[in-house]
Amino acid sequence: MALLPILRFPDPRLRKVAAPVTNVDDGIRRLAADMAETMYEAPGIGLAATQVDVHQQVIVIDVSESRDQLLVLINPELLSGEGMQVGEEGCLSVPGVYDKVERSEKVSVRYLDLQGEARTLDAEGLLAVCIQHEIDHLQGKVFVDHLSMLKQMRIKSKLAKQARITA
Ligand code: K1U
Ligand code: ZN
């Protein structure tokens, strides 16, 4: 397994739209394992392939406190969303930035598992938020896109300043 470098906002590669996986093979299983290792090490509760510069529809999620409930969703597709919740979000591609985002309270998602079998998952609360956040990444969206233009400008200048300091 390997730790993968995570792209940082506003890297234009975060805007690429991921392609569906056509064959769930050992390459995809290796990618999912590397993404899981990267997510646990970060640490984070989710990671989309887009964030590690792989533009295929793969996400990994673990919102459990015990950190042993890994979910791998290939070609995830939102079937329905219900209700509304507003929660604080962060993003491994936007380090140090947290803000409130409005999301569906409950979602139903169809996906392929690591054996290529079609499955459906009903989720609510933090798991539902994380699924929506990661599917956004696969579509080239970052959570800051849900914030006002003023906040987006402030975040860009904060991250540019951080990058200058660490360069
Ligand atoms: O996609 C990502 O960038 C991962 C992101 C997922 C996420 C967080 C919060 C709401 C929605 C989606 C993160 O994991 S940020 C880090 C984080 O939230 C966290 C890290 C360690 C323990 C608990 C949470
Ligand atoms: Zn993110």
Side-chain angles (χ1 to χ4, degrees):
M1 290 207 290
L3 287 177
L4 306 170
I6 298 176
L7 298 177
R8 292 212 170 180
F9 179 80
D11 192 308
R13 291 171 289 182
L14 287 168
R15 298 304 182 185
K16 290 191 183 181
V17 177
V21 171
T22 51
N23 187 20
V24 181
D25 57 13
D26 284 347
I28 292 294
R29 285 185 276 273
R30 164 67 63 94
L31 169 66
D34 288 347
M35 286 172 58
E37 188 183 5
T38 304
M39 173 189 73
Y40 285 124
E41 199 271 341
I45 57 171
L47 191 69
T50 307
Q51 293 175 276
V52 293
D53 201 20
V54 176
H55 302 283
Q56 300 206 68
Q57 294 179 9
V58 179
I59 64 181
V60 295
I61 292 178
D62 189 345
V63 297
S64 71
E65 281 191 18
S66 47
R67 312 291 281 152
D68 61 357
Q69 305 288 314
L70 179 66
L71 286 169
V72 178
L73 276 59
I74 298 164
N75 297 347
E77 189 187 338
L78 283 176
L79 300 176
S80 62
E82 215 181 281
M84 191 266 276
Q85 59 180 320
V86 178
E88 189 102 331
E89 294 192 20
C91 181
L92 297 175
S93 295
V94 195
V97 175
Y98 298 86
D99 214 323
K100 290 187 169 58
V101 177
E102 192 179 304
R103 301 281 190 186
S104 296
E105 166 61 24
K106 293 182 180 182
V107 295
S108 181
V109 61
R110 182 163 55 206
Y111 65 99
L112 301 179
D113 67 15
L114 284 170
Q115 279 65 51
E117 298 291 333
R119 291 177 177 270
T120 303
L121 173 69
D122 295 318
E124 58 184 76
L126 182 59
L127 178 56
V129 169
C130 198
I131 289 170
Q132 291 169 83
H133 179 114
E134 303 309 335
I135 289 178
D136 267 3
H137 275 305
L138 297 181
Q139 294 170 345
K141 285 192 211 148
V142 183
F143 90 103
V144 299
D145 300 348
H146 294 272
L147 308 178
S148 69
M149 274 301 159
L150 180 62
K151 282 187 176 177
Q152 290 185 39
M153 280 165 52
R154 285 187 181 148
I155 290 165
K156 275 185 192 159
S157 69
K158 178 180 170 176
L159 294 180
K161 200 170 164 187
Q162 272 175 13
R164 279 198 301 275
I165 291 166
T166 53

